[in-house]
Amino acid sequence: MLFNFTDIIDRHGKDATAIDGIGKMPAAPAAPKEGFDAIPMWVADMNFAVPPCIQRAMTDRIMHPCFGYFQPSEAYYDGIIEWQKTQNAVEGLKPENISYENGVLGGLLSALNIFCSRGDKVLVHSPTYIGFTKSLINNGYTIVSSPLYRDEEGIWRIDFSDMEKKLREEKIHASIFCSPHNPSGRVWEKWELEKLMALYEKYDVQVVSDEIWSDIIMPGYRHIPTQSVSDYAKMHTIALYAPSKTFNLAGLVGAYHIGYNKTLQDRMEKESSLSHYNTMNVLSMHALVGAYSEEGRAWLKELLAVLSENRDYACDFMEKNLPDLSVMKAQGTYMLFIDCGKYLEKKNISLEDLEKRMWDCGVGVQDGKMFHGQTHIRMNLALPKSRVEEAFRRLKEYVFV
């Protein structure tokens, strides 16, 4: 490999919530017991160094001593256009279709604010990303959940009958769609997206498509942009992207939305501006330009090979050694959404009890209840494989005994 995905990076004292937040936040209840170090598998960021092209791009800009007001560069738009073309086969994307957002959730709320009124019902699929839940509740929207289900092969699927029933009976005209799906790790097929958008069209639903994970696709799968599957999808969907999950840049802040409907774009521009604080950071812009480059693509290719190997190891280990756990082998993202229900029932313990055992031996995972998975945990596999192996060794020896 050209890039290093094996070194264990010490992130203590380097502004890392995944490490420095342990024992200080409700989601990270306590430091490990004596004799164990923390293996951070709870926050959805990566424990890998960013590709050198990002640091070079930022360093080159830092070397100039002025950081005044600025406008997004042509390189910024060109980088996004070329990235979308090479990654997602998007043709005809223009700068006027791209607008900056401080974050995906902020863009999501701006889109909902132009689609509907506070108090309106918004359809989401469950299990649901906690950011959606919190944002909707905090801003006065009513959540209507349409549960996904696992088929006979354990694959997460959309329940189209339930979805249509709720769109019709609840008179819903706005929906949030997550592609790839977080937390399940599902990468949607074209026929699923077409059927989904046909229902949205039938009931005149406007769509916010969160595609922040669209670059983290495992071998054998392909991300299909929601806007690409029909004319209705193109003109009635605001799609949200960011380099943050792909390149571990969440701390720099910076996302963008794509919209092809000029009226929606004009309204999004206005809505996003109302806070007077939805403004790009100059270093974030240069980081994106550095990331969306040939070197960035090469790094991503190696990253996906590493993540795929970690996923295969984790899922195979559970199948062989922890048979009471159930998980779909993630098709996208670097997270696993693991159902512990059978084990909890067999041992007559709570999910909280099980999670405490994990945290005690340093395996920091995320409580799945906040994602509407009552017996689930969410686990980050974006670590050197040696740490993934150590985490599962501890689970076998100290937790599932």
Side-chain angles (χ1 to χ4, degrees):
M1 282 191 169
L2 296 174
F3 304 98
N4 186 347
F5 294 97
T6 58
D7 282 358
I8 299 171
I9 300 172
D10 184 2
R11 301 175 70 189
H12 289 87
K14 297 299 180 183
D15 315 303
T17 297
I19 292 294
D20 294 337
I22 293 175
K24 301 175 184 177
M25 302 174 64
K33 288 184 175 180
E34 186 174 352
F36 297 102
D37 64 335
I39 303 176
M41 307 178 87
W42 62 292
V43 177
D45 69 4
M46 292 192 283
N47 292 271
F48 299 126
V50 301
C53 53
I54 293 176
Q55 289 182 295
R56 284 198 305 271
M58 294 176 68
T59 301
D60 288 348
R61 180 60 185 86
I62 288 171
M63 294 307 295
H64 190 283
C66 297
F67 300 92
Y69 296 110
F70 73 103
Q71 295 297 314
S73 65
E74 286 187 17
Y76 172 81
Y77 291 108
D78 290 346
I80 292 172
I81 290 168
E82 183 63 21
W83 188 262
Q84 289 290 334
K85 182 178 180 179
T86 57
Q87 292 296 115
N88 297 325
V90 174
E91 299 287 349
L93 183 62
K94 299 177 181 178
E96 55 261 37
N97 305 129
I98 303 164
S99 293
Y100 173 81
E101 300 287 348
N102 275 347
V104 162
L105 292 177
L108 178 150
L109 289 170
S110 291
L112 288 181
N113 289 346
I114 68 171
F115 288 160
C116 49
S117 300
R118 304 292 174 91
D120 277 356
K121 295 175 179 178
V122 178
L123 184 83
V124 298
H125 293 95
S126 59
T128 310
Y129 169 46
I130 187 175
F132 297 165
T133 303
K134 286 185 174 181
S135 298
L136 290 169
I137 291 173
N138 287 345
N139 285 272
Y141 292 104
T142 300
I143 298 172
V144 177
S145 293
S146 180
L148 304 177
Y149 70 95
R150 292 180 68 188
D151 66 14
E152 61 279 1
E153 297 178 351
I155 305 299
W156 289 95
R157 298 286 183 183
I158 298 169
D159 186 337
F160 290 104
S161 295
D162 177 82
M163 182 180 160
E164 180 167 17
K165 182 175 184 290
K166 286 172 178 171
L167 290 176
R168 180 182 65 250
E169 294 181 355
E170 302 286 350
K171 297 180 173 59
I172 294 170
H173 295 287
S175 179
I176 300 170
F177 186 63
C178 195
S179 180
H181 185 262
N182 174 22
S184 75
R186 183 71 210 288
V187 174
W188 307 110
E189 299 173 50
K190 187 177 181 181
W191 72 267
E192 293 172 299
L193 296 174
E194 289 173 339
K195 189 169 182 177
L196 177 97
M197 290 307 308
L199 282 178
Y200 287 146
E201 182 174 7
K202 180 178 179 180
Y203 293 98
D204 192 23
V205 177
Q206 311 298 306
V207 183
V208 188
S209 186
D210 174 6
E211 304 185 31
I212 193 172
W213 290 99
S214 59
D215 295 322
I216 309 297
I217 306 295
M218 296 297 106
Y221 299 93
R222 180 169 70 92
H223 174 71
I224 299 171
T226 304
Q227 291 168 320
S228 71
V229 299
S230 70
D231 290 338
Y232 183 88
K234 184 172 184 178
M235 300 306 288
H236 294 267
T237 300
I238 296 294
L240 294 157
Y241 297 90
S244 53
K245 294 301 180 192
T246 312
F247 295 101
N248 210 27
L249 301 178
L252 288 178
V253 180
Y256 58 93
H257 79 254
I258 292 176
Y260 294 96
N261 182 320
K262 187 179 186 306
T263 299
L264 292 185
Q265 272 294 79
D266 290 345
R267 296 184 70 187
M268 278 290 291
E269 290 277 357
K270 179 61 177 177
E271 184 66 32
S272 295
S273 75
L274 294 180
S275 69
H276 296 273
Y277 197 64
N278 192 55
T279 308
M280 191 182 301
N281 178 296
V282 68
L283 293 182
S284 170
M285 178 179 73
H286 284 272
L288 180 144
V289 173
Y292 285 2
S293 64
E294 287 300 321
E295 184 177 319
R297 274 186 270 278
W299 182 89
L300 176 58
K301 183 178 180 180
E302 292 190 5
L303 170 71
L304 294 177
V306 170
L307 294 177
S308 176
E309 186 176 354
N310 286 356
R311 176 206 59 177
D312 290 348
Y313 175 84
C315 292
D316 290 347
F317 187 98
M318 284 186 280
E319 184 176 357
K320 294 174 183 175
N321 300 284
L322 308 173
D324 292 329
L325 303 185
S326 176
V327 65
M328 184 195 82
K329 186 176 285 190
Q331 301 169 355
T333 82
Y334 47 71
M335 311 297 291
L336 289 180
F337 199 54
I338 305 169
D339 188 356
C340 307
K342 185 176 179 181
Y343 181 83
L344 298 178
E345 184 177 1
K346 179 183 288 187
K347 298 295 183 179
N348 194 27
I349 61 172
S350 69
L351 184 64
E352 289 78 8
D353 291 336
L354 180 62
E355 289 169 347
K356 185 179 185 304
R357 293 183 191 176
M358 294 180 176
W359 279 92
D360 282 348
C361 68
V363 181
V365 297
Q366 196 164 30
D367 188 337
K369 288 184 179 180
M370 64 183 72
F371 298 88
H372 305 152
Q374 295 304 306
T375 58
H376 290 70
I377 59 170
R378 184 173 180 250
M379 177 181 283
N380 178 356
L381 297 178
L383 304 88
K385 188 180 179 185
S386 63
R387 298 302 278 162
V388 175
E389 292 172 339
E390 173 62 13
F392 278 93
R393 182 190 70 82
R394 293 182 193 180
L395 291 179
K396 181 181 178 182
E397 293 187 13
Y398 301 104
V399 178
F400 294 96
V401 293

